[in-house]
């Protein structure tokens, strides 16, 4: 087996039946869904701003916002400007905020491998560039794909149900 391959601790059913990656992609499988989430992380909250910044049609933005709300990654809050109809602002939910560790490595990977980088992620307090580290819960950091195996989830694991 190549040193860069994940190992599995035991044979499993067809992956589509149990794989958390597959279930995650059900929520955000379109490119535009990632871009809408990117904008939400940048602080965008209003439909018109999403449509302008994501660079796709308003119909697609509307469909992605609706889908991301249904999946629990975004929430909606009504607002009304004087003399205008009630509209909605979109905000990241807890589930949406927990998606940031998916988006940040994509930013860093794209900067490194699809460059040239025109922006970087940096720590707000000290200005140092951010790096992504895969580690186990016992702080054994900088794990590689060869250090990780897939095994059946233990009862009571940290996987929370969708709300």
């Amino acid at each position: 087996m190549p040193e860069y391959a994940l190992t599995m601790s035991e044979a499993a059913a067809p992956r589509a039946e149990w794989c958390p990656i597959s279930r995650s992609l059900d929520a955000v499988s379109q490119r535009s869904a990632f871009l809408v989430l990117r904008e939400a992380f940048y602080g965008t909250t209003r439909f018109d701003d999403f449509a302008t910044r994501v660079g796709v049609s308003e119909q697609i933005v509307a469909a992605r916002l609706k889908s991301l709300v249904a999946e629990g990654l975004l929430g909606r809050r009504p607002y009304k400007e004087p003399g205008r109809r009630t509209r909605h602002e979109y905000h990241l939910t807890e589930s949406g905020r927990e998606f940031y560790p998916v988006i940040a490595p994509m930013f860093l990977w794209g900067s490194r491998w699809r460059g040239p980088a025109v922006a970087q992620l940096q720590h707000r307090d000290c200005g140092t560039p951010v790096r992504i580290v895969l580690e186990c819960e016992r702080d054994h950091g900088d794990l590689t794909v060869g250090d990780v195996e897939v095994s059946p989830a233990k009862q009571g694991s940290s996987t929370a149900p969708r709300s």
Side-chain angles (χ1 to χ4, degrees), residues 30-49:
Q30 299 91 1
R31 177 181 187 271
S32 55
F34 276 91
L35 298 177
V36 166
L37 284 169
R38 174 199 67 195
E39 290 307 319
F41 284 114
Y42 288 158
T44 302
T45 60
R46 296 193 175 180
F47 178 85
D48 292 338
D49 294 330

Side-chain angles (χ1 to χ4, degrees), residues 61 82-83 115 150 158:
V61 170
V150 179
S158 62

